[in-house]
Each structure stands twice: as C-alpha cells, then as structure tokens.
Amino acid sequence: MNNPITKLLASYFAGAFGLLQIVDIAIDRLSLPVEILNYLLILTVVGFVGILTYSVFPSLIKANKPDVKQKKSIISIVVIVMIFTLSVSNIFLFRESSLSDVRNEAYSSGFALIDNLTENERYIEAYQLANSYHEKLPKDSLVLKKLNQSSLEVNINSKPEGASIFYSDLDSDEWVFVGKTPTKARIPGINSGARGYIKFKLAKEGYKDYLSLTTAGLIGRVSFNKEKYSLIPISHKNTNMVQVPKGPTRLFVSELGDLNIVNLESYWIDKYEVTNEQYQSFINAGGYKKREYWDIILNEDGNTISWEQGMSIFVDKSGLNGPSTWTNGTYEVNKKDFPVLGISWYEARAYAKWAGKSLPTIYHWYKAAMFWGESGAISPRSNFSGSPSEVGKFSIFSSYGCYDMAGNAREWGTNPHKNGNRSVMGGGYDDDTYYFTDNFSQHPINRYKTNGFRCVIIPENETNLASADTLIQSYTRNFYSHKPISDEVFNIYNGMFKYDKTPINATIIEDRIDINDAWYKQVVEIDAAYNEERFSLNIFIPKNENPPFKTVVYVPGSGSITSRNSKNLTGNRMGFLMRSGYALIIPIYKGTYERGYPEFPNYVENKSKVYADQMIMMVKDYSRAIDYVEEQDDLSNSVYYYGISWGGMLGPLFLANESRIKKAVWQVAGLGARETRPEGNPLTFLSRINKPVLMLNGIYDQYFPFETSQKPMYDLLPLKEPMKKMITYKSAHSPPASQTSKEVLQWFRE
C-alpha cells in the first residue's frame, strides 16, 4: 500500500462530507425528505468499501510483512475513517437536536394551534402546519394523528387520466398542486360532506377545467363509489356550460323542502348568467320580431294580451325592444360581460328558444347550485354588494362549477306558482344573502332591474320533467277570521313553555374574541331547560361603553337552520347595537346551526308534533338566555327582543310566553299561511301580547306579502298605537339597513 491511497481516501471522505453538508442544508431549505441523507450515507459507505476492496486490501495481501511506512498509512486510514465518522455523527446529532426542537414546538404549542384551527374549520392552515411537522417527524404517532385530524387521504381518478389536481382556499386564487390522476393524495379537511369546503380543480391540456366547491369527504366519496371525475373536451359543442350528473335531487331550500325527490337525467347548464353581449345577439337576430320564440303573454291581471301588446311592453328606456335597463336598444359601454338585467320571464324564455335551450326548473337550478349545505360558503362570497358585476368576477362557484348562482342577477325558472307567478332564484345584487336559499316568485311580466337568467339543455330522454316543473303551491289564509283563545286555553298552552328553575351551570368556552374596535365576542355554554341538553350563547359586548349593558336577545332568520357553523358569527349585521352600548346575545337555539337535526330540515310550518315541540324548545332556550342575563352584573335585566325574517315571524310565541321581555322589534316579519298545531303557531298567541312591538317591513316582500301576511299580523296585535308601530319601506324582504337600524335604536330607547 502506498501514500496515494491515503490521499485518495482523504479526498473521498472530504468530498463525501462536503456533499452530506450541502444535502443537509438543502433538505431544510427545500423541505426535501430526510431519507435522502440516509441514502447518501449508505452510498458513501458502499464507496468506501469499494475503495478498500479494490485498492487497500490488495496492497495488504501483496505485502508479506508491513513496514513502518505501511503501518503509518494504515494508521492514517483509520484516523481518516474516525474523523469522517465523527463528522457525520455531528451532522446527525445536530439534525436530531433540530428535530428535538421541532418536536418540542409541536408538543408545546403546535398541536394546540392545529386543534384551534380545525375547531374553526380552517383545515388548510391546520393541514399545512401538521404536514410541516410530519415531514420532519414522519414516525411520530402524535404528529400523524394531527395530520389525520386536519386532512383526509383519498384516491382521485379522472377520465381521461393524467389530469393535474389542485385545491385552493375559498378566499384565495392561489392553487396548490397535489399530483396527477390517478393518485392517492391528502386533501385538507375531514370526512364530512358539509365541513371544510375548498375549491377543487382538475386541469388537462385539451379539456375544460373541472371546478367544484367540495370537501375532502365528498372527494373521498367519489372514489368510494368507484366513480371518476369526467373532463369535457374544449372542442365540445356546449361552450361555457357544465354537465350535471344524473341522480335523485332533493331541494334543500326554504318553503320547498317538503317537495318530492325527483330523479333527473344528466343535463347541461350555463356556467355563467346570460350576458349583455349574448342577449344583444338575440336582438340583432330579430328575436323580438319572430313570434315563434314567444309564449302566450299574460298581463298582471292574468288576462291574455296580444303579441303586439307584449312587444310594446318589452322595451328599454328609449322605447326600443330590449331589457328595461338598456337604452337605445343596447347596453352600457364596457358592460358586455355583465349579466343582462331587467328581463321578464317571457323574454328569458324567448332567448332560450332562440339559443336551442330552455330555462331551468327549480330542481335543475338548485341541483347545479347546491349539493347540500354550501350556502354558508357561497352566499357571503357572492355579489350582494348593491351593484352588478361581470359574470364570474366573484371567484366562488358551486359544487358543479357554476358562477354567480347566488347574487348578481335573480334568475328565472320555469316552475309555475299557483298565484300565477314564476320561480325566480338565487337573489340579485341588491338582495340579502339568504335569498340564495329561499325560493320566491314574481309575475312573469315583471321586469325588475335585477331580473336575469341562465339556460339549460335537458335531454330528450328526461322522463321526470313534469315532476321537476311542478306547480308550486302558494298558501293563503284569512287571518282576520281567527278567534282569539280564552284565558283558560292560553294557560294550558302557556304551561307547555314553563320549566322548573334550575342552575344554568354556565361554562365559558371562549372568554374574549376581539371582533373589531367596538366590540368583542364571548361564548358561554349553559344548561337547556329540557332533555339534559346544553347550548351556547354568543355574547357580543361593547368595548367603549360602561356596564351594565342593556341586552338584546336575537332570534335569527331561516338561514340558521341550514347553516351548520356558528363559530363565524361576528354580530356585524347588528353592529349598530354594540356601538350604541347594547350587549347582543345570539343563542344557538334548538334546530339551528350545530344543533340542527333531520326531523327539522327547514322552517316550513306543518302540523307535526315535532314542529310544535321545536317552537317550544326555542322559546325555552330564549328564556334560559334571560336566566343567564339575570345572573350577570355586567348585563342589565332590561331585555329586548329582536327577530328578523323567521325570527320576526315567531315573535308572538316568545312575547306571549316570556314576560321578562321589555320591548320587541319584528323585522321583515309576517304570519305564515300553513297550518300548524295551535301550541306552535304564532297566530295562537298574537292576541296575548302586551309589550310594545315595532314592525319594520318591505311592502314588496316576496315571503310575507304586505296585504295578506304583514298587515294582518300588525292589525291583530291587541295593542294601541304608540304601543305598536309599523314602518314600511319600498323594498322587498331587505329594507335599507341604515334606516332600520335608526328605527330599532329609537324604539329601544323610548
């Protein structure tokens, strides 16, 4: 053996050590797998064995007796190996020390943060944090548990294969690449169809992007059912349309929830609302001059008018044929991609026929709009801003990739209503967000400024079209013929709302959540008055006023029934109360938010005992909230009732059966026409109210018509003015907030 071998080994180990250091740094900087370092070390050892085998050992074998020089070389080799071993050990010891720091961080604060993020359904952030720990601590069982808590491992496949998979946060346009189909991948979220919504995309060259508002659980369900995501070629004739798969369709919409499930064949629906530019093409093609596109036209009295009379009505601001919002036969400059607005049902139908399509039934429209509970994700991110926008500008889309299903334009449907109206869905840019989940109707000749539409293509083999295009029942009732109940009967019903006074056993869940500079939120859990249940109170407390605070206990609209998440309640809509020194309490009533249950799917009144018991439990929850108020030094015993929409409609139940309420506001409220058991019917208790009531209503309200619902409710209140007061606005179900807030404050202060 000679000196060059020693130099070779020294150079080899020096180079190997340098490479290990570079790779060690790269692993941290580029988040590469730690296993790379292990594999590289194995290769280094293999190389060392190779040098020994082919260079060192042959020299030793040839030498009969090592001389002093050879012995020194052997010692040098041993020293080099020892130095290399110690140096490499230092790398691994340092890395183990770093991993120990990571483990300490995860155990001391990281896991708690992941828990908090998942509790607030911020699954993407929770997953990213858990995954960062898992990459460094892949064998740690607790880290793996947190990873599984924040994400779901699912199989994803497409037809054709090779599609790139992405997901995105609802409020972000940045897509995270996951892999290519077919693959098994982790998706942020849990095994739920209504928790942890994300935007999901499949992309492949030559095909339209597949878009879906979905959850990890729903993605997993596709694989479980051995289904594949189908991609549509760009060359397909149905441009800017999405395909909705066949299957049973149920309406998760207020007032329509009791309609039958209908099996629909697969169909196509416009990805966007029909635009000004598209409608201009219809006009330019003589759409208003060709009778074959037009249905028989009825005026507002239900009488048939001639086609010529109809065309004289369907004109723009200048008198030319076209939407009511246009001028001189065309749309405003730079608004070609805005939805066409100011359209009657007849005009929408004519366009659809010209385009070789049709208007959707309520079943076809709502299936494309909502799988089940997406309204909480879609509505607040849609255009209810007060002015129209380009189609698709708001980046939220439905479970099948349709844009602007909520807000922007109200969209006509085909379904007739018994009162002569036609369905209008989704709500317009000047409506409230809950319009998305409420069905309402307008006369087909109506040309309101937010009326628009989108089209569908329904296959010829659809056998259930008649069922989907069902007549919608409009319930009416002569409330003035109702006879007030006697004292004896009232005492019987009132007894159903009473309960034995027991400790509320309050527990603070969230002590202080800062909402803004004017108020903070506290979440307290208390005992219910029935079934050994507990429920939460969301309490919004002023920051800039001194206690004790007068307290408003709120009863929400019907959106609280279909929503399953109360954690995001901020009190913003009632912010004027906290800024004026009032505390606001929003109880999580039985049947709302997380306390929903299948037997109470919507607010539609019915004769079941379940419905009546639901009303009684809600009133008891309200009373328990007052029990809590009475035990708090910071809250005054002056309690005010504030109910909006459904919460206003139920007002008589609460005021007649809870004597501690000082005053009440019923906003956009009216009497419901459907029959219910008397103990659960607001009409039963209307004549028993003796506390001041303010009603704030829109005279064009589509849910509670003024003459047949609002006015009877007000007239049958047994109070004399000024103990009762009604203010109406020239609006629908959403009077101007700046005006209603002023009236609410003035009423509570008087």
Side-chain angles (χ1 to χ4, degrees):
M1 186 168 60
N2 52 34
N3 199 40
I5 295 177
T6 305
K7 291 181 178 180
L8 172 64
L9 285 173
S11 300
Y12 175 77
F13 283 129
F17 179 69
L19 181 60
L20 286 168
Q21 284 188 311
I22 292 171
V23 171
D24 184 45
I25 294 171
I27 286 172
D28 289 333
R29 297 283 176 85
L30 303 178
S31 299
L32 299 173
V34 178
E35 288 77 9
I36 293 176
L37 202 61
N38 298 333
Y39 295 144
L40 189 58
L41 182 61
I42 292 171
L43 289 175
T44 302
V45 173
V46 170
F48 172 59
V49 172
I51 292 173
L52 291 178
T53 302
Y54 293 102
S55 296
V56 178
F57 291 156
S59 298
L60 291 174
I61 292 171
K62 289 179 182 178
N64 294 325
K65 185 177 181 181
D67 57 20
V68 174
K69 190 175 181 180
Q70 288 175 322
K71 289 180 180 179
K72 288 182 178 180
S73 296
I74 293 172
I75 293 171
S76 298
I77 292 172
V78 172
V79 170
I80 291 171
V81 172
M82 290 178 63
I83 292 173
F84 177 76
T85 302
L86 290 172
S87 300
V88 171
S89 298
N90 186 57
I91 292 177
F92 281 88
L93 287 172
F94 180 77
R95 173 161 292 279
E96 188 59 36
S97 175
S98 298
L99 292 180
S100 179
D101 292 341
V102 172
R103 185 177 287 105
N104 288 337
E105 177 194 314
Y107 281 47
S108 62
S109 61
F111 289 171
L113 180 55
I114 292 170
D115 290 341
N116 181 265
L117 290 170
T118 54
E119 285 175 8
N120 288 281
E121 299 193 10
R122 294 162 60 182
Y123 292 108
I124 291 180
E125 295 171 75
Y127 163 68
Q128 289 172 342
L129 181 58
N131 193 48
S132 69
Y133 292 142
H134 185 257
E135 288 176 346
K136 296 175 181 177
L137 304 168
K139 296 181 180 180
D140 190 300
S141 60
L142 292 180
V143 169
L144 180 60
K145 181 179 179 181
K146 294 302 176 185
L147 187 67
N148 291 331
Q149 177 183 319
S150 59
S151 64
L152 198 64
E153 202 167 36
V154 296
N155 291 306
I156 305 174
N157 206 345
S158 66
K159 184 180 180 181
E161 296 180 347
S164 297
I165 308 164
F166 303 88
Y167 70 80
S168 171
D169 182 78
L170 297 184
D171 298 311
S172 173
D173 292 326
E174 295 183 8
W175 292 94
V176 178
F177 176 70
V178 174
K180 289 196 173 186
T181 61
T183 188
K184 190 172 188 177
R186 280 198 174 271
I187 300 295
I190 57 175
N191 192 14
S192 168
R195 292 280 188 275
Y197 285 105
I198 58 172
K199 292 191 289 189
F200 181 68
K201 179 170 74 172
L202 297 177
K204 184 177 175 66
E205 187 174 354
Y207 293 83
K208 300 177 184 179
D209 287 351
Y210 177 92
L211 298 173
S212 178
L213 177 69
T214 187
T215 68
L218 292 176
I219 294 171
R221 194 176 302 176
V222 171
S223 172
F224 180 80
N225 293 334
K226 297 182 179 179
E227 298 172 352
K228 297 180 180 181
Y229 292 100
S230 295
L231 303 182
I232 306 300
I234 291 176
S235 59
H236 195 281
K237 63 179 180 178
N238 293 334
T239 306
N240 280 334
M241 300 189 83
V242 299
Q243 189 173 27
V244 180
K246 67 179 182 180
T249 303
R250 179 181 177 183
L251 299 174
F252 295 101
V253 183
S254 296
E255 287 290 0
L256 300 180
D258 57 345
L259 292 181
N260 293 331
I261 294 174
V262 175
N263 274 300
L264 298 179
E265 294 294 334
S266 177
Y267 63 95
W268 294 83
I269 187 168
D270 286 341
K271 186 175 184 178
Y272 306 103
E273 293 158 334
V274 173
T275 65
N276 282 321
E277 183 179 43
Q278 291 170 320
Y279 199 81
Q280 183 77 70
S281 298
F282 165 66
I283 294 178
N284 294 345
Y288 282 84
K289 295 181 173 63
K290 298 179 180 179
R291 295 192 183 203
E292 61 265 29
Y293 297 143
W294 297 84
D295 291 77
I296 295 174
I297 302 171
L298 303 179
N299 63 18
E300 292 181 350
D301 297 324
N303 299 318
T304 301
I305 61 175
S306 68
W307 180 74
E308 290 80 7
Q309 287 176 306
M311 294 308 102
S312 69
I313 294 172
F314 302 144
V315 294
D316 64 18
K317 296 174 184 178
S318 63
L320 297 177
N321 285 132
S324 66
T325 57
W326 286 17
T327 304
N328 296 325
T330 191
Y331 50 87
E332 291 183 42
V333 177
N334 299 324
K335 289 194 174 181
K336 68 174 185 176
D337 293 326
F338 280 62
V340 61
L341 299 171
I343 291 290
S344 70
W345 181 83
Y346 296 106
E347 291 165 288
R349 282 268 291 183
Y351 173 93
K353 289 181 182 179
W354 169 79
K357 303 177 182 180
S358 62
L359 295 183
T361 70
I362 53 175
Y363 282 90
H364 290 90
W365 194 93
Y366 278 115
K367 181 172 185 177
M370 280 192 299
F371 179 80
W372 183 67
E374 304 96 311
S375 59
I378 294 176
S379 293
R381 295 173 176 84
S382 298
N383 184 21
F384 293 99
S385 65
S387 59
S389 68
E390 299 96 333
V391 297
K393 178 181 178 181
F394 286 70
S395 62
I396 195 69
F397 40 76
S398 73
S399 55
Y400 293 111
C402 295
Y403 286 83
D404 299 313
M405 298 298 278
N408 214 23
R410 295 179 182 177
E411 300 184 19
W412 284 109
T414 58
N415 290 74
H417 286 240
K418 202 169 184 180
N419 59 4
N421 289 355
R422 295 282 177 169
S423 290
V424 182
M425 297 159 290
Y429 61 79
D430 65 349
D431 290 321
D432 278 333
T433 55
Y434 57 80
Y435 274 56
F436 178 47
T437 54
D438 275 329
N439 175 67
F440 62 100
S441 65
Q442 296 176 152
H443 193 280
I445 210 168
N446 183 296
R447 307 180 82 221
Y448 186 61
K449 65 180 181 180
T450 64
N451 290 356
F453 66 102
R454 75 179 71 216
C455 297
V456 295
I457 297 177
I458 298 173
E460 293 181 359
N461 66 336
E462 178 57 79
T463 58
N464 290 323
L465 184 58
S467 298
D469 200 23
T470 183
L471 176 70
I472 305 298
Q473 174 70 53
S474 299
Y475 292 89
T476 59
R477 186 175 176 183
N478 181 10
F479 296 109
Y480 293 103
S481 65
H482 175 76
K483 295 181 180 180
I485 58 176
S486 65
D487 291 345
E488 182 180 9
V489 173
F490 171 72
N491 289 334
I492 294 173
Y493 292 151
N494 179 248
M496 298 179 181
F497 295 84
K498 301 299 182 184
Y499 56 88
D500 293 332
K501 202 73 173 287
T502 57
I504 59 174
N505 295 320
T507 301
I508 296 176
I509 305 301
E510 297 279 358
D511 189 28
R512 186 183 178 107
I513 303 172
D514 284 319
I515 302 299
N516 52 39
D517 61 344
W519 68 87
Y520 66 91
K521 173 182 173 181
Q522 186 179 67
V523 182
V524 175
E525 190 176 78
I526 64 173
D527 285 349
Y530 49 84
N531 301 337
E532 297 184 354
E533 294 186 30
R534 287 174 66 78
F535 68 100
S536 298
L537 305 176
N538 287 259
I539 307 169
F540 301 90
I541 302 171
K543 289 182 178 179
N544 305 318
E545 301 287 341
N546 295 320
F549 306 110
K550 293 180 179 180
T551 307
V552 177
V553 182
Y554 178 68
V555 182
S558 61
S560 61
I561 304 172
T562 53
S563 174
R564 289 292 171 263
N565 183 7
S566 66
K567 296 183 184 299
N568 295 327
L569 292 175
T570 61
N572 285 336
R573 186 174 184 181
M574 278 73 69
F576 65 93
L577 292 170
M578 284 74 82
R579 294 185 187 278
S580 301
Y582 292 85
L584 171 70
I585 297 181
I586 305 179
I588 306 305
Y589 298 96
K590 183 71 172 180
T592 68
Y593 297 108
E594 293 86 353
R595 299 184 73 205
Y597 56 100
E599 293 79 11
F600 184 67
N602 53 57
Y603 79 90
V604 178
E605 302 150 293
N606 59 71
K607 296 180 181 180
S608 70
K609 190 173 186 302
V610 169
Y611 182 87
D613 288 344
Q614 164 67 27
M615 299 299 105
I616 293 170
M617 287 187 287
M618 287 185 68
V619 174
K620 288 182 177 180
D621 288 344
Y622 191 100
S623 295
R624 287 299 270 173
I626 298 180
D627 292 345
Y628 173 81
V629 170
E630 291 179 337
E631 294 187 6
Q632 307 306 307
D633 294 335
D634 286 352
L635 300 178
S636 165
N637 289 348
S638 295
V639 174
Y640 300 86
Y641 182 99
Y642 189 16
I644 296 179
S645 190
W646 182 54
M649 181 186 81
L650 301 181
L653 286 164
F654 291 78
L655 262 69
N657 293 293
E658 176 47 75
S659 61
R660 293 173 289 179
I661 297 172
K662 186 174 181 179
K663 284 185 174 182
V665 173
W666 301 342
Q667 186 166 316
V668 290
L671 293 171
R674 295 198 183 196
E675 294 286 344
T676 64
R677 293 168 66 99
E679 68 270 27
N681 192 336
L683 182 61
T684 302
F685 298 97
L686 192 57
S687 63
R688 311 300 302 191
I689 292 174
N690 56 16
K691 299 296 175 65
V693 175
L694 170 66
M695 290 184 65
L696 302 172
N697 290 86
I699 59 174
Y700 304 116
D701 194 314
Q702 65 275 19
Y703 304 115
F704 302 112
F706 179 75
E707 291 293 338
T708 59
S709 177
Q710 300 173 24
K711 194 170 182 294
M713 189 178 205
Y714 183 75
D715 290 343
L716 294 175
L717 271 170
L719 305 171
K720 301 292 184 182
E721 295 177 348
M723 282 279 284
K724 68 176 180 179
K725 184 178 181 180
M726 186 179 196
I727 299 174
T728 58
Y729 303 87
K730 291 183 178 180
S731 70
H733 198 60
S734 51
S738 60
Q739 297 180 41
T740 57
S741 59
K742 180 179 69 175
E743 297 296 343
V744 170
L745 290 173
Q746 184 175 336
W747 184 253
F748 287 161
R749 287 168 179 164
E750 288 177 351

